[in-house]
Amino acid sequence: MDEEKKEEVENKDEPVFDLGKYDAKSWFKSFFLGAFIGLAIVVPGISGSAVAIIFRLYDKLIYSFANIFRRFRACFLFLLPIAIGAILGFAVGFVLVKLLLDYIPFGLVGFFAGLMVGALPTVMEELKDDKVTTKKGILMALGILIPLIIGAVSVSMAYFDGSYDLVYGLAPESSGGTDYIARFGDFPWWIYVVAIPIGLFLGFSQVIPGLSATAFLMLIGFFRPLVDSVSLTYWKAYPQIFAFYVLLGVSLIAGFILTSKLMTKLFSWNRLLVFRVIVGMSIGSIAAMFLNPDSLGIYLSWAEGIDKRMIVDFALFLPLTVGGFFASNLLVRYGKKEK
């Protein structure tokens, strides 16, 4: 505690958090938070940072990443169960999404969108006592437009250059979506450069409440190709993908740390103003779930002709959307009860 007091004197502008005792209860609470963060990397709609707010761990989480080198031992012990949970959550989420993506793609999008809508009150709760002004309204509108503009541009590019996948097993060879990363040739140098900003934004999305890493990958047309790339067949054909994975992972961690530092500064400057933009981006991301190259592949598959699989997928859309909404809404209510 003496060390923390000394740091507080030396860094008066930054809060020094008591990260709590390293006991079984706090360990499992952090572990479950990590599992949700791992799921959030794969499953759009589950925002790891939104769950951190519900669990009352958000400020401690970004503080730990921002100060990992300055208070290594305390921050490392706090982050360790989160990291273990994140790895497990990512693995489970990835397997489930990979299995379902070819069978009920539209229903899955609906479930993701329902999760995002149900979790939105968690982010908006920060603004419940904040008076709306013209400036704040413009910032929120800007936040809404950002993911929609990205989605519109990515859909246009995917349509005209064929970088989308038809789904339901319909003529996948008619598009270049499956081998989107490799189809540019034998992994040109710029594909590795692209991995860096993508990874940085993925890290950014894990810190900003309401944003989704997978929704962003869908927007730029990289979600399904990355999922499809995880197979022994693909790895044997394109072993260069592992260099892409490494750059993506390192950039993600760097983005997480850098964004944590940035959010610490921004929140100390004007927390409510920053949350206006965050809420806008969360709302825009929900709409953008239906405006991206992966969704384009679904719509164009319908144009090829309707079959039994499509009817089942479409019939499951509404129940899965409602189910996703209630699932995340129950989590929000749990958070309020704990608070």
Side-chain angles (χ1 to χ4, degrees), residues 150-181:
I150 294 173
V153 171
S154 61
V155 164
S156 300
M157 292 175 64
Y159 181 78
F160 287 111
D161 70 7
S163 56
Y164 57 86
D165 244 345
L166 295 178
V167 293
Y168 308 104
L170 290 174
E173 67 275 5
S174 65
S175 73
T178 302
D179 291 329
Y180 181 68
I181 299 173

mmCIF file of all heavy atoms in Angstrom, residues 150-181:
data_model
loop_
_atom_site.group_PDB
_atom_site.id
_atom_site.type_symbol
_atom_site.label_atom_id
_atom_site.label_comp_id
_atom_site.label_asym_id
_atom_site.label_seq_id
_atom_site.Cartn_x
_atom_site.Cartn_y
_atom_site.Cartn_z
ATOM 1 N N ILE A 150 -18.292 2.482 -43.075
ATOM 2 C CA ILE A 150 -17.341 1.382 -43.301
ATOM 3 C C ILE A 150 -18.064 0.202 -43.951
ATOM 4 O O ILE A 150 -17.561 -0.422 -44.894
ATOM 5 C CB ILE A 150 -16.683 0.945 -41.986
ATOM 6 C CG1 ILE A 150 -15.801 2.066 -41.427
ATOM 7 C CG2 ILE A 150 -15.837 -0.314 -42.196
ATOM 8 C CD1 ILE A 150 -15.235 1.771 -40.041
ATOM 9 N N GLY A 151 -19.275 -0.107 -43.459
ATOM 10 C CA GLY A 151 -20.048 -1.222 -44.008
ATOM 11 C C GLY A 151 -20.433 -1.001 -45.458
ATOM 12 O O GLY A 151 -20.300 -1.895 -46.294
ATOM 13 N N ALA A 152 -20.906 0.209 -45.775
ATOM 14 C CA ALA A 152 -21.321 0.516 -47.149
ATOM 15 C C ALA A 152 -20.143 0.424 -48.118
ATOM 16 O O ALA A 152 -20.262 -0.127 -49.218
ATOM 17 C CB ALA A 152 -21.944 1.908 -47.203
ATOM 18 N N VAL A 153 -19.003 0.954 -47.705
ATOM 19 C CA VAL A 153 -17.810 0.914 -48.562
ATOM 20 C C VAL A 153 -17.346 -0.524 -48.765
ATOM 21 O O VAL A 153 -17.023 -0.943 -49.888
ATOM 22 C CB VAL A 153 -16.668 1.771 -47.956
ATOM 23 C CG1 VAL A 153 -15.367 1.547 -48.723
ATOM 24 C CG2 VAL A 153 -17.049 3.245 -47.971
ATOM 25 N N SER A 154 -17.308 -1.322 -47.676
ATOM 26 C CA SER A 154 -16.828 -2.698 -47.779
ATOM 27 C C SER A 154 -17.760 -3.551 -48.632
ATOM 28 O O SER A 154 -17.296 -4.406 -49.394
ATOM 29 C CB SER A 154 -16.672 -3.313 -46.389
ATOM 30 O OG SER A 154 -17.913 -3.358 -45.707
ATOM 31 N N VAL A 155 -19.084 -3.327 -48.539
ATOM 32 C CA VAL A 155 -20.037 -4.074 -49.369
ATOM 33 C C VAL A 155 -19.849 -3.727 -50.843
ATOM 34 O O VAL A 155 -19.855 -4.612 -51.716
ATOM 35 C CB VAL A 155 -21.487 -3.781 -48.925
ATOM 36 C CG1 VAL A 155 -22.485 -4.216 -50.000
ATOM 37 C CG2 VAL A 155 -21.797 -4.491 -47.622
ATOM 38 N N SER A 156 -19.670 -2.446 -51.133
ATOM 39 C CA SER A 156 -19.460 -2.022 -52.525
ATOM 40 C C SER A 156 -18.197 -2.655 -53.105
ATOM 41 O O SER A 156 -18.200 -3.179 -54.228
ATOM 42 C CB SER A 156 -19.355 -0.493 -52.600
ATOM 43 O OG SER A 156 -20.526 0.121 -52.117
ATOM 44 N N MET A 157 -17.121 -2.624 -52.323
ATOM 45 C CA MET A 157 -15.859 -3.203 -52.789
ATOM 46 C C MET A 157 -15.987 -4.709 -52.982
ATOM 47 O O MET A 157 -15.507 -5.271 -53.975
ATOM 48 C CB MET A 157 -14.744 -2.887 -51.797
ATOM 49 C CG MET A 157 -14.365 -1.420 -51.727
ATOM 50 S SD MET A 157 -13.134 -1.068 -50.437
ATOM 51 C CE MET A 157 -11.736 -2.021 -51.054
ATOM 52 N N ALA A 158 -16.642 -5.380 -52.033
ATOM 53 C CA ALA A 158 -16.796 -6.834 -52.110
ATOM 54 C C ALA A 158 -17.628 -7.234 -53.318
ATOM 55 O O ALA A 158 -17.334 -8.227 -53.999
ATOM 56 C CB ALA A 158 -17.441 -7.357 -50.829
ATOM 57 N N TYR A 159 -18.661 -6.460 -53.603
ATOM 58 C CA TYR A 159 -19.552 -6.798 -54.722
ATOM 59 C C TYR A 159 -18.843 -6.663 -56.067
ATOM 60 O O TYR A 159 -18.946 -7.533 -56.935
ATOM 61 C CB TYR A 159 -20.792 -5.896 -54.694
ATOM 62 C CG TYR A 159 -21.775 -6.205 -55.807
ATOM 63 C CD1 TYR A 159 -22.627 -7.299 -55.697
ATOM 64 C CD2 TYR A 159 -21.838 -5.419 -56.954
ATOM 65 C CE1 TYR A 159 -23.525 -7.609 -56.708
ATOM 66 C CE2 TYR A 159 -22.729 -5.715 -57.972
ATOM 67 C CZ TYR A 159 -23.572 -6.810 -57.848
ATOM 68 O OH TYR A 159 -24.445 -7.116 -58.854
ATOM 69 N N PHE A 160 -18.092 -5.593 -56.218
ATOM 70 C CA PHE A 160 -17.472 -5.327 -57.510
ATOM 71 C C PHE A 160 -16.208 -6.150 -57.753
ATOM 72 O O PHE A 160 -15.853 -6.427 -58.896
ATOM 73 C CB PHE A 160 -17.168 -3.836 -57.665
ATOM 74 C CG PHE A 160 -18.402 -3.002 -57.880
ATOM 75 C CD1 PHE A 160 -18.839 -2.112 -56.901
ATOM 76 C CD2 PHE A 160 -19.149 -3.129 -59.038
ATOM 77 C CE1 PHE A 160 -19.986 -1.355 -57.088
ATOM 78 C CE2 PHE A 160 -20.315 -2.377 -59.233
ATOM 79 C CZ PHE A 160 -20.725 -1.492 -58.261
ATOM 80 N N ASP A 161 -15.489 -6.563 -56.682
ATOM 81 C CA ASP A 161 -14.290 -7.376 -56.920
ATOM 82 C C ASP A 161 -14.487 -8.855 -56.587
ATOM 83 O O ASP A 161 -13.560 -9.655 -56.677
ATOM 84 C CB ASP A 161 -13.073 -6.820 -56.179
ATOM 85 C CG ASP A 161 -13.156 -6.992 -54.662
ATOM 86 O OD1 ASP A 161 -14.091 -7.654 -54.184
ATOM 87 O OD2 ASP A 161 -12.269 -6.455 -53.968
ATOM 88 N N GLY A 162 -15.732 -9.224 -56.193
ATOM 89 C CA GLY A 162 -16.045 -10.634 -55.967
ATOM 90 C C GLY A 162 -15.493 -11.230 -54.691
ATOM 91 O O GLY A 162 -15.434 -12.448 -54.546
ATOM 92 N N SER A 163 -15.120 -10.407 -53.738
ATOM 93 C CA SER A 163 -14.525 -10.928 -52.492
ATOM 94 C C SER A 163 -15.591 -11.192 -51.438
ATOM 95 O O SER A 163 -15.535 -10.697 -50.330
ATOM 96 C CB SER A 163 -13.479 -9.938 -51.948
ATOM 97 O OG SER A 163 -14.042 -8.661 -51.751
ATOM 98 N N TYR A 164 -16.590 -11.986 -51.823
ATOM 99 C CA TYR A 164 -17.627 -12.411 -50.893
ATOM 100 C C TYR A 164 -17.850 -13.895 -51.120
ATOM 101 O O TYR A 164 -17.444 -14.464 -52.143
ATOM 102 C CB TYR A 164 -18.935 -11.639 -51.125
ATOM 103 C CG TYR A 164 -19.459 -11.766 -52.542
ATOM 104 C CD1 TYR A 164 -20.258 -12.841 -52.904
ATOM 105 C CD2 TYR A 164 -19.129 -10.828 -53.504
ATOM 106 C CE1 TYR A 164 -20.720 -12.979 -54.200
ATOM 107 C CE2 TYR A 164 -19.591 -10.947 -54.804
ATOM 108 C CZ TYR A 164 -20.382 -12.024 -55.147
ATOM 109 O OH TYR A 164 -20.828 -12.165 -56.433
ATOM 110 N N ASP A 165 -18.490 -14.537 -50.167
ATOM 111 C CA ASP A 165 -18.772 -15.964 -50.268
ATOM 112 C C ASP A 165 -20.267 -16.196 -50.365
ATOM 113 O O ASP A 165 -21.030 -15.722 -49.505
ATOM 114 C CB ASP A 165 -18.243 -16.693 -49.028
ATOM 115 C CG ASP A 165 -17.140 -17.673 -49.364
ATOM 116 O OD1 ASP A 165 -16.983 -17.996 -50.553
ATOM 117 O OD2 ASP A 165 -16.435 -18.095 -48.440
ATOM 118 N N LEU A 166 -20.690 -16.954 -51.384
ATOM 119 C CA LEU A 166 -22.046 -17.460 -51.372
ATOM 120 C C LEU A 166 -22.108 -18.543 -50.298
ATOM 121 O O LEU A 166 -21.158 -19.293 -50.111
ATOM 122 C CB LEU A 166 -22.418 -18.031 -52.739
ATOM 123 C CG LEU A 166 -22.476 -17.014 -53.891
ATOM 124 C CD1 LEU A 166 -22.801 -17.735 -55.195
ATOM 125 C CD2 LEU A 166 -23.501 -15.930 -53.623
ATOM 126 N N VAL A 167 -23.229 -18.626 -49.602
ATOM 127 C CA VAL A 167 -23.328 -19.573 -48.482
ATOM 128 C C VAL A 167 -24.325 -20.674 -48.803
ATOM 129 O O VAL A 167 -24.812 -20.776 -49.926
ATOM 130 C CB VAL A 167 -23.729 -18.837 -47.185
ATOM 131 C CG1 VAL A 167 -22.617 -17.921 -46.740
ATOM 132 C CG2 VAL A 167 -25.009 -18.050 -47.380
ATOM 133 N N TYR A 168 -24.631 -21.504 -47.805
ATOM 134 C CA TYR A 168 -25.520 -22.658 -47.937
ATOM 135 C C TYR A 168 -24.967 -23.677 -48.943
ATOM 136 O O TYR A 168 -25.708 -24.454 -49.525
ATOM 137 C CB TYR A 168 -26.930 -22.240 -48.389
ATOM 138 C CG TYR A 168 -27.572 -21.164 -47.572
ATOM 139 C CD1 TYR A 168 -27.636 -19.863 -48.051
ATOM 140 C CD2 TYR A 168 -28.106 -21.429 -46.317
ATOM 141 C CE1 TYR A 168 -28.221 -18.852 -47.304
ATOM 142 C CE2 TYR A 168 -28.695 -20.429 -45.566
ATOM 143 C CZ TYR A 168 -28.752 -19.142 -46.066
ATOM 144 O OH TYR A 168 -29.326 -18.150 -45.334
ATOM 145 N N GLY A 169 -23.640 -23.651 -49.201
ATOM 146 C CA GLY A 169 -23.043 -24.615 -50.124
ATOM 147 C C GLY A 169 -23.298 -24.302 -51.581
ATOM 148 O O GLY A 169 -23.085 -25.147 -52.444
ATOM 149 N N LEU A 170 -23.763 -23.073 -51.892
ATOM 150 C CA LEU A 170 -24.080 -22.716 -53.265
ATOM 151 C C LEU A 170 -22.863 -22.168 -53.995
ATOM 152 O O LEU A 170 -22.412 -21.054 -53.726
ATOM 153 C CB LEU A 170 -25.197 -21.660 -53.299
ATOM 154 C CG LEU A 170 -26.584 -22.143 -52.895
ATOM 155 C CD1 LEU A 170 -27.537 -20.965 -52.838
ATOM 156 C CD2 LEU A 170 -27.101 -23.161 -53.889
ATOM 157 N N ALA A 171 -22.321 -22.919 -54.917
ATOM 158 C CA ALA A 171 -21.266 -22.470 -55.832
ATOM 159 C C ALA A 171 -20.223 -21.584 -55.176
ATOM 160 O O ALA A 171 -20.009 -20.456 -55.609
ATOM 161 C CB ALA A 171 -21.916 -21.729 -57.009
ATOM 162 N N PRO A 172 -19.538 -22.058 -54.138
ATOM 163 C CA PRO A 172 -18.543 -21.213 -53.502
ATOM 164 C C PRO A 172 -17.401 -20.844 -54.427
ATOM 165 O O PRO A 172 -16.732 -19.848 -54.221
ATOM 166 C CB PRO A 172 -18.033 -22.070 -52.331
ATOM 167 C CG PRO A 172 -18.347 -23.477 -52.715
ATOM 168 C CD PRO A 172 -19.609 -23.387 -53.529
ATOM 169 N N GLU A 173 -17.182 -21.675 -55.501
ATOM 170 C CA GLU A 173 -16.087 -21.364 -56.412
ATOM 171 C C GLU A 173 -16.383 -20.128 -57.262
ATOM 172 O O GLU A 173 -15.505 -19.608 -57.937
ATOM 173 C CB GLU A 173 -15.814 -22.572 -57.339
ATOM 174 C CG GLU A 173 -16.937 -22.873 -58.322
ATOM 175 C CD GLU A 173 -18.039 -23.746 -57.707
ATOM 176 O OE1 GLU A 173 -17.965 -24.034 -56.506
ATOM 177 O OE2 GLU A 173 -18.977 -24.108 -58.440
ATOM 178 N N SER A 174 -17.623 -19.638 -57.221
ATOM 179 C CA SER A 174 -17.962 -18.469 -58.036
ATOM 180 C C SER A 174 -17.452 -17.174 -57.427
ATOM 181 O O SER A 174 -17.564 -16.123 -58.028
ATOM 182 C CB SER A 174 -19.489 -18.380 -58.201
ATOM 183 O OG SER A 174 -20.102 -18.149 -56.943
ATOM 184 N N SER A 175 -16.941 -17.240 -56.212
ATOM 185 C CA SER A 175 -16.404 -16.031 -55.590
ATOM 186 C C SER A 175 -15.061 -16.341 -54.950
ATOM 187 O O SER A 175 -14.704 -17.489 -54.750
ATOM 188 C CB SER A 175 -17.372 -15.488 -54.528
ATOM 189 O OG SER A 175 -17.353 -16.317 -53.393
ATOM 190 N N GLY A 176 -14.341 -15.307 -54.620
ATOM 191 C CA GLY A 176 -12.998 -15.493 -54.053
ATOM 192 C C GLY A 176 -12.969 -15.380 -52.560
ATOM 193 O O GLY A 176 -11.904 -15.223 -51.984
ATOM 194 N N GLY A 177 -14.137 -15.438 -51.907
ATOM 195 C CA GLY A 177 -14.180 -15.179 -50.477
ATOM 196 C C GLY A 177 -13.395 -16.144 -49.623
ATOM 197 O O GLY A 177 -12.728 -15.764 -48.685
ATOM 198 N N THR A 178 -13.470 -17.448 -49.929
ATOM 199 C CA THR A 178 -12.840 -18.446 -49.083
ATOM 200 C C THR A 178 -11.330 -18.259 -48.994
ATOM 201 O O THR A 178 -10.740 -18.396 -47.938
ATOM 202 C CB THR A 178 -13.169 -19.862 -49.600
ATOM 203 O OG1 THR A 178 -14.575 -20.024 -49.631
ATOM 204 C CG2 THR A 178 -12.571 -20.923 -48.705
ATOM 205 N N ASP A 179 -10.715 -17.955 -50.111
ATOM 206 C CA ASP A 179 -9.273 -17.735 -50.128
ATOM 207 C C ASP A 179 -8.952 -16.253 -50.267
ATOM 208 O O ASP A 179 -8.015 -15.858 -50.955
ATOM 209 C CB ASP A 179 -8.621 -18.520 -51.269
ATOM 210 C CG ASP A 179 -8.671 -20.010 -51.035
ATOM 211 O OD1 ASP A 179 -8.647 -20.403 -49.860
ATOM 212 O OD2 ASP A 179 -8.753 -20.766 -52.002
ATOM 213 N N TYR A 180 -9.738 -15.433 -49.581
ATOM 214 C CA TYR A 180 -9.625 -13.977 -49.734
ATOM 215 C C TYR A 180 -8.213 -13.471 -49.440
ATOM 216 O O TYR A 180 -7.692 -12.635 -50.149
ATOM 217 C CB TYR A 180 -10.623 -13.302 -48.789
ATOM 218 C CG TYR A 180 -10.627 -11.802 -48.860
ATOM 219 C CD1 TYR A 180 -11.093 -11.159 -49.999
ATOM 220 C CD2 TYR A 180 -10.176 -11.027 -47.801
ATOM 221 C CE1 TYR A 180 -11.113 -9.777 -50.070
ATOM 222 C CE2 TYR A 180 -10.184 -9.655 -47.864
ATOM 223 C CZ TYR A 180 -10.663 -9.042 -49.002
ATOM 224 O OH TYR A 180 -10.662 -7.682 -49.065
ATOM 225 N N ILE A 181 -7.592 -14.006 -48.400
ATOM 226 C CA ILE A 181 -6.262 -13.537 -48.016
ATOM 227 C C ILE A 181 -5.215 -14.018 -49.017
ATOM 228 O O ILE A 181 -4.345 -13.275 -49.432
ATOM 229 C CB ILE A 181 -5.901 -14.011 -46.597
ATOM 230 C CG1 ILE A 181 -6.910 -13.448 -45.591
ATOM 231 C CG2 ILE A 181 -4.490 -13.576 -46.215
ATOM 232 C CD1 ILE A 181 -6.740 -13.993 -44.194
#
